[in-house]
Amino acid sequence: MNPKIRIVNEEILSDNWYLLKKITYMSEAKDGSWTSQSRESYDRGNGATILLYNRERQTVILTRQFRIPTYVNGNETGMLIEACAGLLDKESPEDSIRREAEEETGYRIANVRKIGEAYMSPGSVTEILHFFVAEYTPAMKVGEGGGVEEEQENIEVLEYPFQRALEMIEEGEIRDAKTIMLLQYAQINRLLESRPRQLQILIAGPYRSGTGDDPNLIRRNMDFMNEIALKVYEAGHLPVLGEWYALPLIEQSGSQRIGDEIFDRIFHPSSVRLLKHCDAVLRIGGPSQGADEMVTTAMAMGKTIYRDLQEIPPCLSNLTVPSGETEL
């Protein structure tokens, strides 16, 4: 907690829909003196929002619904165009936004990717909003959407060309902050480019697993991962193996054998450090606790996970992915 802030009193002003409090607190000034201040804080829980986009059709899914706060503050119709969103309702952000996407838009999305989180109105509202993006296809449509009737939701589902949605920001037709942030993220990161950009892909597979530390079997595993790395390179992407990064560092640090103190201190942590700078993980080969942990860590970071070489889209038109086995 901040030692320069002391909460003195919390008074509940309203507990009708969500929780509105008047909070009195003391704050320490630069000269060491303390002053008392009071602010109102509205706690409605945390939420999540998502932009659904289709690269092939160059479209995005948005919604339109009546918002009374905008109606009493200059929005003549009260109707607002927004990205799908909702409160977490004791769920994880990922589970919540999948549920909201299906309820509001009718699309059942399997893979969502978190791109960040933000306090949306920190002067008065406690809410943290988790931001996601996900690709959708017509095959994912399982209902009409429109929201949940018992929650008195009346939501219109909209599908716009992506470029048109960007124009609507400039024209003032889209004025919702979270939606503007998601659309601008998609524009900056070129999410809807028809040809995928070059990715930095970390290859996660067995290094020591199942070898009994036999150097010949370890070499076999490395040869296999190097072979896959070449195919990833030929698909137009930048392959990375944690072993390429970690093993020279381990040797330079004076490690005497696999699994000694220096090896354990550097091997896995260095791969996690490398993972932060990669776009995706390709999980290949047989059982490996380390590779599985890398996938779990990557998922928590919101990285794309590929389970098969053929899932990776070619980046450069003059390069193709050679066919071949991807399992040991």
Side-chain angles (χ1 to χ4, degrees), residues 36 65 84 86 137 155 194 198 212 216 255 269 297:
S36 176
Q65 59 184 305
C84 168
T137 67
I155 299 171
S194 57
Q198 186 181 71
N216 293 323
S255 175
T297 303

Side-chain angles (χ1 to χ4, degrees), residues 52-70:
L52 304 182
Y53 66 96
N54 183 289
R55 183 178 286 119
E56 181 178 353
R57 299 170 62 172
Q58 292 290 294
T59 53
V60 293
I61 296 291
L62 300 176
T63 65
R64 179 161 46 210
Q65 59 184 305
F66 180 77
R67 296 296 199 184
I68 187 65
T70 74

